[in-house]
Amino acid sequence: MTAPDGTRARDGSPAFIQELSTTLPVHAQYVLHGNLRDVFLLEPHGGGPGSPTGRAQFVTLTELLWRTLQPSGYECLVTFDPVAGLGAYPASTQAVANNILGGGIGGDAVPSLERLRGHLRTVAIAPRRTAFLVDYASRISLDPTRLERPERDFFLFCEKLSREVGPTPGPPQRPSPLYNPVIWLVERDQDLPVWLTAGNERIRTIGIPRPDFGDRQDTARLLARLMGVPEPDSDPEAVESCQRFAEQADGLTLQEMIEVTRLAQDRGLALSDLPDAVRTYKLGVLDSPWRRGYLRKRIADGEATVSARVVGQPRAVTKTLDILKRAALGLSGAQATSSSSRPRGVLFFAGPTGVGKTELAKAVAELVFGDESAYLRFDMSEFAAEHAGDRLIGAPPGYVGYEAGGELTNAVRQQPFRVVLFDEIEKAHHRILDKFLQILEDGRLTDGRGTTTHFSECILIFTSNLGAMTEDDNGRRVASVRPGMPYAELESSMRRAIAEHFTTKLGRPELLNRFGDDFVIFDFIGAEAAEKIFDGQLRNILRRVADEQRITVRLRADVRAQLLTRCTEDRTRGGRGIGTALESHLINPLARELFDGDHPPGACVEIVAIDPVGPSLELEQR
C-alpha cells in the first residue's frame, strides 16, 4: 500500500501515515519523529472524507492523524502537551473525551506525570475506540539518559502498559480489533529513553520525512492557484514555473513553501518569480550580486585584471573565468535533474607551492563581489583530527561549544555571497571530507544546533599540492614535477595523483566525482613571470619604506639585475620563494642600514652595491 518511492501511498495519503493505519491491529504505541511541524498535502480521497472542494489541501499532523483514525471507528483523539494540558481533537468530540476520561478535558490545569499515567491507561483499555496523542514529548524529560525518579517511573509505566493492553473490538460496522494507541511526537527518536522502545514489538517508531520533489511539485501547483493561476497544469508557462519553484525549494518544508508564496505576494511577485522569493526566504537577502548588470562586464574584463594580479598562469585564469561565466548564468551543474541548490561555482586549484592559487581565490572574491573581504579561508591542516570538524559546523548537542555554532556555517549565514577557500584540502581528516559531499551535492549543511546553512550563492575553492611531491623507494619526499616540463605533462601527472589520492588512499571516489572537471592546474612560473613578480614585490618594499619612514630608496640598474638573478634563480617555490629571497637579500640589510644610519625623513638614498656572499648592501645618500 506504500508508493514505490516510499513517500506516498496510492490512496493519496503520505506513506508514514499509511504505515500507522495498517499496523493499528498489532501496535499499542507509536513514536513519530522528524518533520512534525510541517503541513501535509492530503488528496481528496486520502485517509478520510477528503476535501470538500474536491481538491488536495494542506492539513496539520494532528488533523492528518484524525482523518486516518476516524474511518476506522475512532470516536476522538485525546491530546496532551506539557503547556496546554489535556484536550480533544476535534473540539466537537470534547464531550466524548470527557466521558471516556471521567472529566479533565478543557481545564486550565496541566496534569502531573502521575495523573497522566492514569489518563493513558484509561484510554488504552477503554471499550470505545480512541487514541491518545502526546505532543512535545521531547520536553517531558530534561535528559532521557539521566531520568529523574518521577520521569523514570512514568516511562516505565508506559513500557509496561504497551505490553499489557490488547486490541479492542470495534463497533458492528468495523468489528476488527484495533489498539487504542498512544502516539508520541518527538523531535528525534532518541528523545525518549532507549529502553522504552528497544526490543519492544508493541511500540513502533516511524520517521516523518521532509517533502520530496513530488510533494513539492504538488504543493507548487496548489499554491499557483492561490496566486491567481486557476489551472496551472494546462498552462505551459505555469508548469515550468511550478517545476522551477519545486526545484528551488529543495530542503524546504511545505509550510515554508507556503511562507515563500506569502512573501512573494507581499512583494507583488508573479508565479515565475517564486525562485527569487525562495532565495530571499533562505538567505534573508533581497539583492543578489549574481544578478547585477555590471557583473558580466567585470568577468569579461577579468582576463586582463586577474592576469595582471596572478602572473604567469594564463591557463588557470582562463579556466577559472570560464567557470565564473557559467556561475553568473546559473548553469553550474545544469546537466543534473535538479541543480538549483548547488553552490554557484566549485573550483579545485592544484599545483606547486607559491604559484598563485590563494591569490587567484582572492582575485575571484574581488571580481565577483567587489570586496576581497568576501573571501573566507580555512587552513585544512588545522583539521587533521576528526573532532576538528566541529569547528566547521559546531559541536553536537551536549558538548562544549554547542551553543556557538560552527565557524563555517555561522560565517556563510551572516554573508551568503562569498568565496570560501579550503586551503590544502588533502591535509584534512578523511571524515571531515564527508561534510563536503552534502555541500557539493545539496548546497546546504546543518550545524550542531539543527540550523540549515545554504551555500547556493557561494563559490567554493579547494586548493591542493597533490602531485607536486611523491615518495621514493626510501620514503623520502621528492619532486614529481619540475619547472620547464610541458604543461600537458604536468597537468596529466597532477590529475593522476589527485585521482589516486581520493580513490585509493582515501576511498572517496564519490567526492572526486563531485568536483567533476572543475580542476584548475597551475604551472610553475616561468622566467618572465618571475621577473614580473619580483618587480611587483620590489615596488611594494620601496613603497612601504616611503610610507613608513618617508625615505625614498632607489636601486642602481646593475644592483637590480644582480638582485633579480639571486631571487629568481630557484623558481620551484614560486612567488613565495621570490619574496623570501627579497627578504634575505634586500629587506633585512636595508632595515639594518636605515636603523643604524642617519637618514632623516625626506632623504633619498640609493643602493649602489650588494654583497655577493652575505646579506649586506651599500647605501649612498643623495
Side-chain angles (χ1 to χ4, degrees):
M1 302 183 74
T2 301
D5 64 358
T7 57
R8 186 171 291 276
R10 281 177 291 183
D11 70 348
S13 62
F16 76 88
I17 207 71
Q18 189 68 26
E19 180 181 353
L20 184 148
S21 175
T22 56
T23 56
L24 285 171
V26 293
H27 293 298
Q29 296 183 28
Y30 293 88
V31 178
L32 304 187
H33 65 91
N35 189 30
L36 303 173
R37 308 303 166 191
D38 201 0
V39 293
F40 301 89
L41 196 61
L42 189 64
E43 300 295 338
H45 53 289
S51 164
T53 64
R55 284 180 173 170
Q57 60 177 304
F58 299 115
V59 297
T60 64
L61 179 58
T62 304
E63 171 70 11
L64 183 60
L65 289 170
W66 172 243
R67 291 188 179 218
T68 301
L69 296 170
Q70 188 185 23
S72 297
Y74 287 85
E75 299 184 44
C76 70
L77 177 62
V78 178
T79 63
F80 167 83
D81 72 60
V83 175
L86 292 173
Y89 191 90
S92 58
T93 63
Q94 180 172 324
V96 177
N98 269 320
N99 182 268
I100 293 173
L101 293 182
I105 302 294
D108 295 331
V110 177
S112 64
L113 290 182
E114 185 176 355
R115 288 187 58 199
L116 184 59
R117 286 164 54 175
H119 294 318
L120 289 172
R121 182 173 183 81
T122 298
V123 168
I125 64 174
R128 304 171 66 176
R129 281 194 179 165
T130 188
F132 202 116
L133 181 69
V134 184
D135 203 355
Y136 294 97
S138 300
R139 304 294 180 261
I140 292 179
S141 64
L142 183 62
D143 184 349
T145 63
R146 299 178 181 177
L147 298 175
E148 297 182 0
R149 179 66 179 269
E151 298 168 347
R152 187 204 65 185
D153 292 346
F154 172 73
F155 286 115
L156 181 59
F157 166 83
C158 294
E159 180 188 17
K160 185 178 179 182
L161 180 66
S162 70
R163 298 184 184 278
E164 290 180 344
V165 299
T168 302
Q173 62 273 27
R174 299 179 182 87
S176 300
L178 300 176
Y179 281 92
N180 286 350
V182 176
I183 303 173
W184 306 86
L185 301 186
V186 294
E187 295 171 7
R188 304 172 304 157
D189 55 345
Q190 305 98 312
D191 289 345
L192 295 179
V194 175
W195 46 263
L196 175 65
T197 56
N200 189 341
E201 70 284 354
R202 294 290 186 87
I203 301 179
R204 189 179 189 94
T205 299
I206 301 177
I208 302 179
R210 297 177 76 87
D212 66 359
F213 182 67
D215 292 329
R216 299 197 304 274
Q217 274 188 315
D218 293 341
T219 299
R221 286 195 291 267
L222 187 57
L223 292 174
R225 296 188 179 97
L226 300 179
M227 295 192 69
V229 183
E231 297 297 335
D233 293 335
S234 59
D235 183 345
E237 291 187 8
V239 169
E240 176 65 21
S241 296
C242 289
Q243 177 86 0
R244 292 179 57 234
F245 183 25
E247 290 178 357
Q248 194 77 14
D250 183 27
L252 297 185
T253 64
L254 302 189
Q255 180 62 52
E256 288 174 319
M257 290 183 69
I258 295 173
E259 300 301 329
V260 167
T261 305
R262 290 176 179 166
L263 178 64
Q265 290 177 312
D266 180 67
R267 298 189 58 80
L269 301 179
L271 180 64
S272 58
D273 297 323
L274 282 177
D276 289 336
V278 172
R279 187 193 71 247
T280 302
Y281 183 85
K282 284 182 176 180
L283 306 179
V285 292
L286 301 177
D287 186 30
S288 170
W290 294 104
R291 294 182 177 271
R292 293 174 185 166
Y294 62 78
L295 180 59
R296 284 195 179 192
K297 186 178 187 306
R298 289 176 65 92
I299 295 178
D301 295 341
E303 195 76 44
T305 58
V306 177
S307 295
R309 182 169 178 175
V310 183
V311 179
Q313 301 294 340
R315 298 178 184 87
V317 169
T318 298
K319 183 161 187 178
T320 298
L321 290 176
D322 285 344
I323 293 174
L324 289 182
K325 292 172 184 176
R326 185 180 71 192
L329 295 173
L331 297 178
S332 296
Q335 70 277 12
T337 303
S338 176
S339 59
S340 57
S341 60
R342 293 182 179 182
R344 275 280 178 168
V346 176
L347 294 155
F348 193 110
F349 290 168
T353 184
V355 294
K357 298 189 292 293
T358 302
E359 189 67 20
L360 184 53
K362 293 180 180 179
V364 167
E366 186 170 358
L367 181 69
V368 176
F369 302 122
D371 183 5
E372 194 174 298
S373 65
Y375 153 88
L376 177 67
R377 177 180 176 272
F378 290 93
D379 185 347
M380 300 311 291
S381 63
E382 300 176 6
F383 296 84
E386 181 179 358
H387 64 81
D390 292 346
R391 283 181 50 194
L392 293 176
I393 65 171
Y399 287 78
V400 175
Y402 158 68
E403 301 86 357
E407 294 177 18
L408 171 62
T409 51
N410 286 348
V412 173
R413 275 200 304 275
Q414 292 167 5
Q415 172 51 278
F417 302 96
R418 63 166 69 239
V419 171
V420 185
L421 175 65
F422 301 100
D423 213 0
E424 297 187 288
I425 188 65
E426 73 276 7
K427 295 183 179 179
H429 191 278
H430 66 276
R431 291 197 178 277
I432 294 177
L433 298 180
D434 292 340
K435 301 182 188 303
F436 297 122
L437 282 173
Q438 186 179 0
I439 298 177
L440 294 173
E441 183 65 22
D442 300 327
R444 63 177 182 267
L445 197 61
T446 302
D447 64 17
R449 297 177 297 184
T451 305
T452 298
T453 301
H454 298 276
F455 293 80
S456 56
E457 305 300 325
C458 288
I459 296 176
L460 305 183
I461 300 179
F462 300 82
T463 74
S464 172
N465 295 326
L466 285 169
M469 304 290 289
T470 187
E471 291 187 358
D472 61 13
D473 296 337
N474 298 320
R476 295 175 300 185
R477 290 181 60 79
V478 296
S480 56
V481 291
R482 62 191 183 281
M485 69 187 302
Y487 177 77
E489 183 180 341
L490 179 144
E491 181 182 31
S492 177
S493 174
M494 300 203 74
R495 279 180 174 268
R496 283 197 306 272
I498 293 169
E500 182 180 359
H501 178 79
F502 281 103
T503 56
T504 304
K505 184 175 181 180
L506 296 183
R508 293 289 191 281
E510 65 277 12
L511 185 57
L512 184 69
N513 290 337
R514 296 302 190 280
F515 291 119
D517 192 41
D518 294 334
F519 291 94
V520 179
I521 308 300
F522 286 66
D523 198 357
F524 285 99
I525 59 173
E528 182 179 349
E531 184 173 359
K532 290 182 180 179
I533 294 172
F534 168 83
D535 285 337
Q537 294 185 358
L538 179 61
R539 284 193 299 271
N540 292 339
I541 295 169
L542 301 184
R543 183 170 58 247
R544 179 67 67 84
V545 174
D547 292 343
E548 296 290 338
Q549 302 301 320
R550 295 172 55 198
I551 295 175
T552 302
V553 179
R554 297 172 181 165
L555 279 75
R556 276 191 355 194
D558 60 324
V559 172
R560 177 201 170 277
Q562 187 179 1
L563 191 61
L564 171 65
T565 300
R566 289 191 184 184
C567 293
T568 61
E569 57 187 355
D570 180 13
R571 301 195 301 274
T572 58
R573 297 173 59 197
R576 289 195 186 94
I578 295 173
T580 301
L582 272 169
E583 190 173 76
S584 298
H585 295 294
L586 177 61
I587 296 177
N588 290 344
L590 177 61
R592 182 171 60 247
E593 291 292 335
L594 293 178
F595 190 88
D596 296 339
D598 184 16
H599 303 288
C604 178
V605 298
E606 184 177 31
I607 302 175
V608 297
I610 59 173
D611 191 335
V613 178
S616 63
L617 50 80
E618 182 179 340
L619 292 180
E620 287 186 0
Q621 185 164 327
R622 301 295 183 186

